[in-house]
Amino acid sequence: APWAYRAVATVAVLGTASVLLLREDLHLADSWHFWLGWSTPVLLTGAALTSKRLHRDATAKKVHPGLGLGAMALALVGAMIGLGILP
């Protein structure tokens, strides 16, 4: 899971950089793709933090799967929206 977390965070940073540096026709944060792209690492950060407490915190045990599932769903929707803004 740590390698996937780093990959998602890297893609969010690179995607933001590509809009700033390569896409003059797009404005940063004007699309759902941007917000979904950054929501995914935020949810994964929550999942990473709750994973450290799974064995001793019942709330973390309940919340952790939802964070992971939400991150996967947002990533899929973000990918589909991203196809629509390809040059």
Side-chain angles (χ1 to χ4, degrees):
W3 62 268
Y5 177 75
R6 285 190 293 274
V8 169
T10 300
V11 167
V13 170
L14 291 175
T16 301
S18 72
V19 169
L20 291 172
L21 301 173
L22 304 174
R23 297 291 305 265
E24 294 177 8
D25 60 320
L26 296 177
H27 298 285
L28 188 63
D30 273 356
S31 73
W32 281 100
H33 183 71
F34 172 84
W35 293 105
L36 292 171
W38 275 101
S39 297
T40 302
V42 168
L43 286 177
L44 288 176
T45 299
L49 293 174
T50 58
S51 73
K52 305 292 184 192
R53 297 183 294 183
L54 285 175
H55 300 292
R56 58 181 189 269
D57 186 354
T59 302
K61 191 176 255 187
K62 289 179 185 176
V63 171
H64 180 78
L67 292 170
L69 183 61
M72 281 194 326
L74 288 178
L76 288 171
V77 172
M80 288 186 290
I81 291 172
L83 291 174
I85 60 174
L86 284 173

